[in-house]
Amino acid sequence: MGKYPVRKIGFIVGILAMLIIGFMPTPASLAAVTETPVVAQRVLAVTVLMVIFWITEAMPIPFTALLPIVLFPLMGITGAKGQNDIQLFKHYAYQTCYLLVGVGFLSGSMVKHGLHKRISLGIVSKIGKKPTTLILGFILAVAFVSMWMSNTAATVMMLPVALAIATTLGDEAQGLKKAMVLSIPYAATIGGMATTIGTTTNPTGIGLIESTIGIDINFLDWLKIGLPFTIVLVPLMWIYMVKFFKVDKMPPVDISLARRQYEELGPMSKGEKWTAGIFLFCCVLWVTRSILWGKYMPFATDETVAVLGAFLVMAIPLDYKNAEYVCDWKTGFNDVPWNAVILLGGSMVMGNAFKDAGCAAWVANMLSGLAGMNAVVICIIVGIVTALLTELTTNAVVVAAFIPVLAGVGEAIGVSPFAMMIACMLSCNFAFMLPPATPPNAIAYGTGEITMRDLVTCGLGLKLIALVVFP
C-alpha cells in the first residue's frame, strides 16, 4: 500500500476516533480524577486525532499542530481567553520557539558564506585516503556540523560530496559507496543529540519538560546529557559501518575531489570570519550562562543568546556603503525551521491541555500497575517503545505525544518523571531503519545508492547498539 492511501485512511480514522472518544459516555475512571471530565474527554479526543494525523501524515505535520486553534473552541475546551484554565494561544509563542528562530539566522549566515562547507570539506580532505578513515571523516564532519544546525541541512550539505566521490569508485567499491551515503544521515542524527539546538527533538522535549514538571534544562545541562552519548556512539557507529560493509578490506581511494573543493574555497572571506566569530561567541555564552554570567542576568535564557546572535549577524555590516550585512533578512528568515516552530507550539498546547484537563492523571492511574518495578527497567521499557515508534513518524512527534503522559505516569508509579522523559528524548533519536523516521534517512534513501534492505538491516544493527549503550 502506498503512502497516499495510508494518509487517506489516517484522515478518516482520526476523525472517527475523535468523534467517538469526544462524545461517548464519559468513563467513570476519568470522572474520578478531574473536576471537568467532559473537557478532559474532549482533550483526549483531540490528542488522539493529532497523534493519528501525525503518525499517518494525514495532513502536513506542522498544520496538524495548528488544529487546536480550531478544535479547542469548537469543542468547548478553551478559547482565545483561556476558559476552563486551559490555555491556547500563548503556547504557540513558547520561549523555546525563539531558540529555533535565532539559530535559524545563525545557520542561514553559515550557509550564505559557505562556512559549513569549509568545516565539512576540511575535515574530510584532511582525514586520509584509506576507506576506513574516509568514512570516519564523513562521520566526524557531519556529526560536528549537525550539533549546531539542522540535521537535514547537514545531510543535504554533505551528500553531494559523498556522491561525487562515489562516482569515481568502481563497481567493486559498492560497500564503500553505501557506507558513505548511510554514514551521513546516521552521523547527523547522532551529532544532533549533543546540543539543545542540534535537532528539533531536543527543544521540543526540553520545552515540554519545563512546562509539565517545571525543570529548566539549559544549554550546558543538556550538553552534559547528550554529548556523552554522541561521543560514545560516534566511534561505535564508525566501527559498525566499517565492519558491516567490509570497508576495512578495501584498497585506498581517491579523495582528491574533496581536497580540490576545499582548496577552491580559498582563504576565509570577511563574512565567514564574522559568522564564525559570532557563532563561537554564542557558543561560549550558552555554555557559561549557568556557571558564570547567568547569575548577573537571571532573566536571560538560551533563547536570549540565540536572538542576540541573530541580531549580530543582521546588524554587523560587511559593506556599509552598499548596505551589505553578515546576514540578510531573506536568508535568515528562510533558514528558520518554521515547520519545527509550529510543531513545537502545537506540542505545547496539546501537552499542557493533556495535563491541565486531568488526562495525564487518568492515564497514570491506568498504568499504576507498573509501580514496584525497578526504575531502570521502566526507563529501558520507555526507551525501547519510543525507539520503535520513532521509525514510523518524526522524532519530535513521538516526543510531543509521550512526554506529557510520562509526567503523570512517573508520579503515579513512583519513578522520576524526569528520568523517563530523558529516556524518551534520547531513544527517539535512535531512528535509523526507515525513510519516514527522519528527513536525513529519506534524503539518503532518495539518492538511489542504497536499497530499503540496506537501510533496514544496517539501521537495525545500529539501533540495537544504541539501545545497548542507552542504559
Short mmCIF file of all heavy atoms in Angstrom, two decimals, residues 186-248:
data_model
loop_
_atom_site.label_atom_id
_atom_site.label_comp_id
_atom_site.label_asym_id
_atom_site.label_seq_id
_atom_site.Cartn_x
_atom_site.Cartn_y
_atom_site.Cartn_z
N TYR A 186 23.06 9.00 9.52
CA TYR A 186 23.24 8.46 10.86
C TYR A 186 24.08 9.40 11.73
O TYR A 186 23.77 9.64 12.90
CB TYR A 186 23.90 7.09 10.80
CG TYR A 186 23.05 5.99 10.18
CD1 TYR A 186 23.62 4.78 9.80
CD2 TYR A 186 21.68 6.18 9.98
CE1 TYR A 186 22.84 3.77 9.23
CE2 TYR A 186 20.91 5.18 9.41
CZ TYR A 186 21.49 3.98 9.04
OH TYR A 186 20.72 2.98 8.49
N ALA A 187 25.16 9.93 11.15
CA ALA A 187 26.03 10.85 11.90
C ALA A 187 25.28 12.14 12.23
O ALA A 187 25.47 12.72 13.31
CB ALA A 187 27.30 11.15 11.11
N ALA A 188 24.43 12.60 11.31
CA ALA A 188 23.65 13.81 11.56
C ALA A 188 22.70 13.61 12.74
O ALA A 188 22.57 14.48 13.61
CB ALA A 188 22.86 14.19 10.31
N THR A 189 22.07 12.45 12.80
CA THR A 189 21.15 12.15 13.90
C THR A 189 21.88 12.05 15.23
O THR A 189 21.46 12.62 16.24
CB THR A 189 20.40 10.84 13.61
OG1 THR A 189 19.62 10.99 12.42
CG2 THR A 189 19.47 10.48 14.76
N ILE A 190 23.01 11.33 15.23
CA ILE A 190 23.77 11.15 16.47
C ILE A 190 24.41 12.45 16.92
O ILE A 190 24.42 12.78 18.11
CB ILE A 190 24.83 10.04 16.29
CG1 ILE A 190 24.13 8.68 16.12
CG2 ILE A 190 25.78 9.99 17.48
CD1 ILE A 190 25.06 7.55 15.77
N GLY A 191 24.94 13.22 15.98
CA GLY A 191 25.52 14.51 16.34
C GLY A 191 24.50 15.48 16.88
O GLY A 191 24.77 16.24 17.81
N GLY A 192 23.28 15.45 16.32
CA GLY A 192 22.23 16.35 16.77
C GLY A 192 21.79 16.11 18.19
O GLY A 192 21.20 17.00 18.82
N MET A 193 22.08 14.91 18.73
CA MET A 193 21.71 14.61 20.12
C MET A 193 22.46 15.47 21.12
O MET A 193 22.00 15.68 22.23
CB MET A 193 22.01 13.13 20.43
CG MET A 193 21.18 12.13 19.67
SD MET A 193 21.77 10.44 19.97
CE MET A 193 21.56 10.32 21.75
N ALA A 194 23.64 15.95 20.74
CA ALA A 194 24.57 16.52 21.71
C ALA A 194 24.13 17.85 22.29
O ALA A 194 24.43 18.16 23.45
CB ALA A 194 25.95 16.67 21.07
N THR A 195 23.43 18.69 21.52
CA THR A 195 23.12 20.04 21.98
C THR A 195 21.62 20.31 21.92
O THR A 195 20.87 19.59 21.25
CB THR A 195 23.83 21.09 21.11
OG1 THR A 195 23.29 21.05 19.77
CG2 THR A 195 25.33 20.83 21.05
N THR A 196 21.20 21.37 22.58
CA THR A 196 19.79 21.73 22.58
C THR A 196 19.33 22.23 21.22
O THR A 196 18.14 22.27 20.94
CB THR A 196 19.51 22.84 23.62
OG1 THR A 196 20.32 23.97 23.33
CG2 THR A 196 19.80 22.35 25.02
N ILE A 197 20.27 22.63 20.37
CA ILE A 197 19.92 23.20 19.08
C ILE A 197 20.22 22.25 17.93
O ILE A 197 20.03 22.59 16.76
CB ILE A 197 20.66 24.54 18.84
CG1 ILE A 197 22.18 24.32 18.84
CG2 ILE A 197 20.26 25.56 19.88
CD1 ILE A 197 22.98 25.57 18.51
N GLY A 198 20.69 21.04 18.25
CA GLY A 198 21.13 20.13 17.21
C GLY A 198 20.01 19.44 16.45
O GLY A 198 20.21 18.98 15.34
N THR A 199 18.83 19.34 17.05
CA THR A 199 17.71 18.68 16.42
C THR A 199 16.42 19.23 17.00
O THR A 199 16.41 19.70 18.14
CB THR A 199 17.77 17.16 16.64
OG1 THR A 199 16.58 16.55 16.12
CG2 THR A 199 17.90 16.81 18.11
N THR A 200 15.34 19.18 16.25
CA THR A 200 14.07 19.71 16.75
C THR A 200 13.53 18.89 17.92
O THR A 200 12.74 19.38 18.72
CB THR A 200 13.01 19.73 15.63
OG1 THR A 200 12.87 18.41 15.09
CG2 THR A 200 13.41 20.68 14.53
N THR A 201 13.97 17.63 18.03
CA THR A 201 13.52 16.78 19.13
C THR A 201 13.91 17.37 20.48
O THR A 201 13.12 17.37 21.43
CB THR A 201 14.13 15.37 19.01
OG1 THR A 201 13.83 14.85 17.71
CG2 THR A 201 13.58 14.44 20.07
N ASN A 202 15.14 17.85 20.57
CA ASN A 202 15.64 18.35 21.86
C ASN A 202 14.89 19.58 22.37
O ASN A 202 14.43 19.57 23.51
CB ASN A 202 17.14 18.62 21.77
CG ASN A 202 17.94 17.35 21.60
OD1 ASN A 202 17.41 16.25 21.75
ND2 ASN A 202 19.21 17.47 21.28
N PRO A 203 14.75 20.65 21.59
CA PRO A 203 13.99 21.79 22.12
C PRO A 203 12.53 21.47 22.38
O PRO A 203 11.92 22.00 23.31
CB PRO A 203 14.14 22.87 21.04
CG PRO A 203 14.58 22.15 19.82
CD PRO A 203 15.36 20.96 20.28
N THR A 204 11.93 20.57 21.58
CA THR A 204 10.54 20.16 21.83
C THR A 204 10.43 19.48 23.18
O THR A 204 9.57 19.82 24.01
CB THR A 204 10.06 19.20 20.72
OG1 THR A 204 10.14 19.85 19.45
CG2 THR A 204 8.62 18.78 20.98
N GLY A 205 11.30 18.50 23.43
CA GLY A 205 11.27 17.78 24.70
C GLY A 205 11.62 18.66 25.88
O GLY A 205 10.98 18.60 26.93
N ILE A 206 12.63 19.51 25.71
CA ILE A 206 13.06 20.40 26.79
C ILE A 206 11.93 21.37 27.17
O ILE A 206 11.67 21.63 28.34
CB ILE A 206 14.33 21.16 26.38
CG1 ILE A 206 15.53 20.18 26.36
CG2 ILE A 206 14.62 22.32 27.33
CD1 ILE A 206 16.77 20.76 25.72
N GLY A 207 11.27 21.89 26.14
CA GLY A 207 10.16 22.80 26.41
C GLY A 207 9.02 22.10 27.14
O GLY A 207 8.42 22.66 28.07
N LEU A 208 8.70 20.88 26.73
CA LEU A 208 7.63 20.14 27.39
C LEU A 208 7.99 19.77 28.82
O LEU A 208 7.14 19.77 29.71
CB LEU A 208 7.30 18.87 26.58
CG LEU A 208 6.50 19.10 25.30
CD1 LEU A 208 6.46 17.84 24.46
CD2 LEU A 208 5.08 19.55 25.63
N ILE A 209 9.26 19.42 29.05
CA ILE A 209 9.70 19.10 30.41
C ILE A 209 9.54 20.30 31.32
O ILE A 209 9.05 20.20 32.45
CB ILE A 209 11.16 18.61 30.40
CG1 ILE A 209 11.24 17.20 29.80
CG2 ILE A 209 11.75 18.60 31.81
CD1 ILE A 209 12.66 16.70 29.59
N GLU A 210 9.94 21.46 30.84
CA GLU A 210 9.84 22.68 31.65
C GLU A 210 8.38 23.03 31.94
O GLU A 210 8.03 23.42 33.05
CB GLU A 210 10.52 23.84 30.92
CG GLU A 210 10.83 25.05 31.80
CD GLU A 210 9.61 25.94 32.02
OE1 GLU A 210 8.75 25.98 31.12
OE2 GLU A 210 9.53 26.57 33.09
N SER A 211 7.52 22.83 30.94
CA SER A 211 6.12 23.23 31.11
C SER A 211 5.31 22.21 31.93
O SER A 211 4.31 22.58 32.54
CB SER A 211 5.45 23.42 29.74
OG SER A 211 5.39 22.21 29.03
N THR A 212 5.74 20.94 31.95
CA THR A 212 4.96 19.93 32.66
C THR A 212 5.46 19.66 34.08
O THR A 212 4.65 19.48 35.00
CB THR A 212 4.96 18.60 31.87
OG1 THR A 212 6.31 18.22 31.56
CG2 THR A 212 4.17 18.73 30.59
N ILE A 213 6.77 19.61 34.28
CA ILE A 213 7.27 19.32 35.63
C ILE A 213 8.16 20.43 36.17
O ILE A 213 8.71 20.31 37.27
CB ILE A 213 8.03 17.97 35.66
CG1 ILE A 213 9.26 18.01 34.75
CG2 ILE A 213 7.11 16.83 35.30
CD1 ILE A 213 10.10 16.73 34.83
N GLY A 214 8.32 21.52 35.41
CA GLY A 214 8.99 22.71 35.94
C GLY A 214 10.50 22.64 36.01
O GLY A 214 11.13 23.48 36.66
N ILE A 215 11.13 21.67 35.33
CA ILE A 215 12.60 21.58 35.32
C ILE A 215 13.14 22.27 34.08
O ILE A 215 12.80 21.91 32.95
CB ILE A 215 13.06 20.11 35.35
CG1 ILE A 215 12.64 19.45 36.67
CG2 ILE A 215 14.58 20.02 35.18
CD1 ILE A 215 13.02 17.99 36.77
N ASP A 216 13.96 23.27 34.31
CA ASP A 216 14.55 24.04 33.20
C ASP A 216 15.91 23.44 32.84
O ASP A 216 16.80 23.34 33.67
CB ASP A 216 14.71 25.51 33.61
CG ASP A 216 15.33 26.35 32.50
OD1 ASP A 216 15.10 26.04 31.32
OD2 ASP A 216 16.07 27.31 32.82
N ILE A 217 16.05 23.02 31.59
CA ILE A 217 17.31 22.45 31.10
C ILE A 217 17.96 23.47 30.18
O ILE A 217 17.44 23.76 29.10
CB ILE A 217 17.07 21.13 30.34
CG1 ILE A 217 16.32 20.13 31.22
CG2 ILE A 217 18.38 20.53 29.88
CD1 ILE A 217 15.94 18.85 30.50
N ASN A 218 19.10 24.01 30.60
CA ASN A 218 19.79 24.98 29.75
C ASN A 218 20.78 24.27 28.82
O ASN A 218 20.90 23.04 28.82
CB ASN A 218 20.48 26.06 30.58
CG ASN A 218 21.52 25.48 31.54
OD1 ASN A 218 22.26 24.57 31.21
ND2 ASN A 218 21.57 26.02 32.76
N PHE A 219 21.48 25.06 28.04
CA PHE A 219 22.39 24.51 27.03
C PHE A 219 23.44 23.60 27.67
O PHE A 219 23.69 22.49 27.20
CB PHE A 219 23.07 25.67 26.28
CG PHE A 219 23.88 25.23 25.10
CD1 PHE A 219 23.31 25.18 23.83
CD2 PHE A 219 25.21 24.89 25.24
CE1 PHE A 219 24.05 24.78 22.73
CE2 PHE A 219 25.97 24.49 24.14
CZ PHE A 219 25.38 24.44 22.89
N LEU A 220 24.05 24.07 28.76
CA LEU A 220 25.10 23.28 29.41
C LEU A 220 24.53 22.03 30.06
O LEU A 220 25.17 20.96 30.01
CB LEU A 220 25.82 24.14 30.45
CG LEU A 220 27.02 23.49 31.16
CD1 LEU A 220 28.08 23.09 30.15
CD2 LEU A 220 27.60 24.45 32.20
N ASP A 221 23.36 22.13 30.65
CA ASP A 221 22.72 20.96 31.27
C ASP A 221 22.54 19.85 30.24
O ASP A 221 22.85 18.68 30.50
CB ASP A 221 21.35 21.33 31.86
CG ASP A 221 21.47 22.24 33.07
OD1 ASP A 221 22.52 22.20 33.74
OD2 ASP A 221 20.53 23.00 33.33
N TRP A 222 22.00 20.23 29.08
CA TRP A 222 21.77 19.19 28.06
C TRP A 222 23.08 18.68 27.48
O TRP A 222 23.18 17.50 27.13
CB TRP A 222 20.87 19.71 26.94
CG TRP A 222 20.62 18.60 25.95
CD1 TRP A 222 21.21 18.41 24.74
CD2 TRP A 222 19.75 17.48 26.14
NE1 TRP A 222 20.76 17.25 24.16
CE2 TRP A 222 19.86 16.66 25.00
CE3 TRP A 222 18.87 17.11 27.17
CZ2 TRP A 222 19.13 15.48 24.85
CZ3 TRP A 222 18.16 15.93 27.02
CH2 TRP A 222 18.29 15.14 25.89
N LEU A 223 24.07 19.55 27.39
CA LEU A 223 25.37 19.11 26.88
C LEU A 223 25.92 17.97 27.73
O LEU A 223 26.53 17.02 27.22
CB LEU A 223 26.35 20.29 26.88
CG LEU A 223 27.54 20.24 25.90
CD1 LEU A 223 27.06 20.22 24.47
CD2 LEU A 223 28.45 21.42 26.14
N LYS A 224 25.68 18.05 29.04
CA LYS A 224 26.15 17.00 29.94
C LYS A 224 25.39 15.70 29.72
O LYS A 224 25.90 14.61 30.01
CB LYS A 224 25.97 17.45 31.40
CG LYS A 224 26.83 18.64 31.80
CD LYS A 224 26.50 19.08 33.22
CE LYS A 224 27.30 20.32 33.62
NZ LYS A 224 26.93 20.79 34.98
N ILE A 225 24.17 15.79 29.21
CA ILE A 225 23.35 14.60 28.96
C ILE A 225 23.60 14.04 27.56
O ILE A 225 23.85 12.85 27.38
CB ILE A 225 21.85 14.93 29.13
CG1 ILE A 225 21.56 15.37 30.57
CG2 ILE A 225 20.99 13.73 28.75
CD1 ILE A 225 20.16 15.91 30.76
N GLY A 226 23.50 14.92 26.56
CA GLY A 226 23.54 14.45 25.18
C GLY A 226 24.93 14.21 24.63
O GLY A 226 25.15 13.25 23.87
N LEU A 227 25.89 15.06 25.00
CA LEU A 227 27.23 14.93 24.42
C LEU A 227 27.89 13.59 24.73
O LEU A 227 28.53 13.00 23.84
CB LEU A 227 28.11 16.09 24.89
CG LEU A 227 29.52 16.15 24.28
CD1 LEU A 227 29.44 16.24 22.76
CD2 LEU A 227 30.29 17.35 24.84
N PRO A 228 27.80 13.06 25.96
CA PRO A 228 28.40 11.74 26.20
C PRO A 228 27.86 10.65 25.28
O PRO A 228 28.62 9.78 24.83
CB PRO A 228 28.04 11.46 27.66
CG PRO A 228 27.90 12.82 28.27
CD PRO A 228 27.29 13.66 27.20
N PHE A 229 26.56 10.69 24.99
CA PHE A 229 26.00 9.71 24.06
C PHE A 229 26.60 9.86 22.67
O PHE A 229 26.93 8.88 22.00
CB PHE A 229 24.48 9.84 24.00
CG PHE A 229 23.75 9.15 25.11
CD1 PHE A 229 23.46 9.81 26.28
CD2 PHE A 229 23.37 7.83 25.00
CE1 PHE A 229 22.80 9.18 27.32
CE2 PHE A 229 22.72 7.17 26.02
CZ PHE A 229 22.42 7.86 27.19
N THR A 230 26.74 11.11 22.23
CA THR A 230 27.33 11.35 20.92
C THR A 230 28.78 10.87 20.89
O THR A 230 29.21 10.21 19.93
CB THR A 230 27.27 12.85 20.58
OG1 THR A 230 25.89 13.27 20.51
CG2 THR A 230 27.95 13.14 19.25
N ILE A 231 29.53 11.19 21.93
CA ILE A 231 30.95 10.79 21.99
C ILE A 231 31.10 9.27 21.96
O ILE A 231 32.02 8.73 21.32
CB ILE A 231 31.62 11.39 23.24
CG1 ILE A 231 31.71 12.91 23.10
CG2 ILE A 231 33.01 10.79 23.46
CD1 ILE A 231 32.22 13.62 24.35
N VAL A 232 30.21 8.57 22.65
CA VAL A 232 30.29 7.10 22.69
C VAL A 232 29.79 6.49 21.38
O VAL A 232 30.39 5.55 20.84
CB VAL A 232 29.49 6.55 23.88
CG1 VAL A 232 29.38 5.03 23.82
CG2 VAL A 232 30.14 6.98 25.19
N LEU A 233 28.68 7.01 20.85
CA LEU A 233 28.06 6.39 19.69
C LEU A 233 28.80 6.65 18.38
O LEU A 233 28.76 5.81 17.47
CB LEU A 233 26.61 6.87 19.56
CG LEU A 233 25.61 6.27 20.55
CD1 LEU A 233 24.24 6.90 20.38
CD2 LEU A 233 25.52 4.77 20.37
N VAL A 234 29.49 7.79 18.26
CA VAL A 234 30.19 8.09 17.01
C VAL A 234 31.26 7.04 16.69
O VAL A 234 31.27 6.48 15.58
CB VAL A 234 30.79 9.52 17.04
CG1 VAL A 234 31.88 9.68 15.98
CG2 VAL A 234 29.69 10.55 16.80
N PRO A 235 32.19 6.73 17.59
CA PRO A 235 33.17 5.69 17.25
C PRO A 235 32.55 4.31 17.08
O PRO A 235 32.99 3.53 16.23
CB PRO A 235 34.15 5.72 18.43
CG PRO A 235 33.44 6.39 19.53
CD PRO A 235 32.50 7.34 18.89
N LEU A 236 31.51 4.00 17.88
CA LEU A 236 30.85 2.71 17.72
C LEU A 236 30.17 2.61 16.35
O LEU A 236 30.21 1.56 15.71
CB LEU A 236 29.82 2.51 18.84
CG LEU A 236 30.38 2.27 20.24
CD1 LEU A 236 29.24 2.14 21.25
CD2 LEU A 236 31.25 1.01 20.26
N MET A 237 29.55 3.71 15.92
CA MET A 237 28.92 3.71 14.61
C MET A 237 29.96 3.53 13.51
O MET A 237 29.76 2.80 12.54
CB MET A 237 28.16 5.03 14.39
CG MET A 237 27.42 5.06 13.06
SD MET A 237 26.74 6.67 12.66
CE MET A 237 28.19 7.51 12.08
N TRP A 238 31.10 4.20 13.66
CA TRP A 238 32.17 4.09 12.66
C TRP A 238 32.64 2.64 12.54
O TRP A 238 32.73 2.09 11.44
CB TRP A 238 33.34 5.00 13.05
CG TRP A 238 34.56 4.82 12.20
CD1 TRP A 238 34.63 4.87 10.84
CD2 TRP A 238 35.90 4.55 12.66
NE1 TRP A 238 35.92 4.67 10.42
CE2 TRP A 238 36.72 4.47 11.50
CE3 TRP A 238 36.47 4.41 13.92
CZ2 TRP A 238 38.09 4.22 11.59
CZ3 TRP A 238 37.84 4.16 14.01
CH2 TRP A 238 38.62 4.07 12.86
N ILE A 239 32.94 2.01 13.67
CA ILE A 239 33.39 0.62 13.65
C ILE A 239 32.32 -0.28 13.04
O ILE A 239 32.62 -1.17 12.22
CB ILE A 239 33.74 0.15 15.08
CG1 ILE A 239 34.93 0.95 15.62
CG2 ILE A 239 34.04 -1.35 15.11
CD1 ILE A 239 35.21 0.72 17.10
N TYR A 240 31.08 -0.04 13.42
CA TYR A 240 29.99 -0.87 12.90
C TYR A 240 29.84 -0.71 11.39
O TYR A 240 29.71 -1.72 10.67
CB TYR A 240 28.68 -0.47 13.61
CG TYR A 240 27.45 -1.11 13.00
CD1 TYR A 240 27.20 -2.46 13.19
CD2 TYR A 240 26.55 -0.36 12.25
CE1 TYR A 240 26.07 -3.05 12.63
CE2 TYR A 240 25.43 -0.94 11.69
CZ TYR A 240 25.19 -2.29 11.88
OH TYR A 240 24.08 -2.87 11.32
N MET A 241 29.87 0.52 10.89
CA MET A 241 29.71 0.75 9.45
C MET A 241 30.86 0.13 8.67
O MET A 241 30.66 -0.46 7.59
CB MET A 241 29.62 2.26 9.17
CG MET A 241 28.44 2.96 9.80
SD MET A 241 26.83 2.41 9.21
CE MET A 241 26.80 3.14 7.58
N VAL A 242 32.06 0.26 9.20
CA VAL A 242 33.24 -0.29 8.54
C VAL A 242 33.14 -1.81 8.44
O VAL A 242 33.45 -2.42 7.40
CB VAL A 242 34.52 0.12 9.30
CG1 VAL A 242 35.71 -0.73 8.87
CG2 VAL A 242 34.82 1.60 9.05
N LYS A 243 32.69 -2.44 9.51
CA LYS A 243 32.57 -3.89 9.53
C LYS A 243 31.35 -4.37 8.73
O LYS A 243 31.43 -5.38 8.01
CB LYS A 243 32.47 -4.40 10.97
CG LYS A 243 33.71 -4.14 11.81
CD LYS A 243 34.92 -4.90 11.28
CE LYS A 243 36.14 -4.69 12.16
NZ LYS A 243 37.33 -5.42 11.62
N PHE A 244 30.24 -3.68 8.84
CA PHE A 244 29.01 -4.11 8.17
C PHE A 244 29.18 -4.12 6.66
O PHE A 244 28.73 -5.05 5.98
CB PHE A 244 27.86 -3.18 8.56
CG PHE A 244 26.52 -3.63 8.04
CD1 PHE A 244 25.74 -4.52 8.77
CD2 PHE A 244 26.04 -3.17 6.82
CE1 PHE A 244 24.51 -4.95 8.29
CE2 PHE A 244 24.80 -3.60 6.33
CZ PHE A 244 24.04 -4.49 7.07
N PHE A 245 29.83 -3.09 6.13
CA PHE A 245 30.02 -3.00 4.67
C PHE A 245 31.41 -3.47 4.23
O PHE A 245 31.79 -3.27 3.07
CB PHE A 245 29.78 -1.57 4.20
CG PHE A 245 28.34 -1.14 4.27
CD1 PHE A 245 27.90 -0.28 5.26
CD2 PHE A 245 27.42 -1.62 3.36
CE1 PHE A 245 26.57 0.11 5.33
CE2 PHE A 245 26.09 -1.24 3.41
CZ PHE A 245 25.66 -0.37 4.40
N LYS A 246 32.17 -4.07 5.17
CA LYS A 246 33.50 -4.63 4.88
C LYS A 246 34.44 -3.58 4.26
O LYS A 246 35.24 -3.88 3.37
CB LYS A 246 33.38 -5.84 3.95
CG LYS A 246 32.59 -6.99 4.57
CD LYS A 246 32.50 -8.16 3.61
CE LYS A 246 31.86 -9.37 4.28
NZ LYS A 246 30.48 -9.11 4.76
N VAL A 247 34.33 -2.36 4.73
CA VAL A 247 35.16 -1.27 4.22
C VAL A 247 36.62 -1.47 4.60
O VAL A 247 37.53 -1.05 3.88
CB VAL A 247 34.64 0.09 4.75
CG1 VAL A 247 35.55 1.24 4.32
CG2 VAL A 247 33.23 0.34 4.26
N ASP A 248 36.86 -2.14 5.73
CA ASP A 248 38.23 -2.33 6.19
C ASP A 248 39.05 -3.24 5.30
O ASP A 248 40.27 -3.34 5.44
CB ASP A 248 38.23 -2.87 7.62
CG ASP A 248 37.38 -4.12 7.78
OD1 ASP A 248 36.44 -4.31 6.97
OD2 ASP A 248 37.65 -4.91 8.70
#
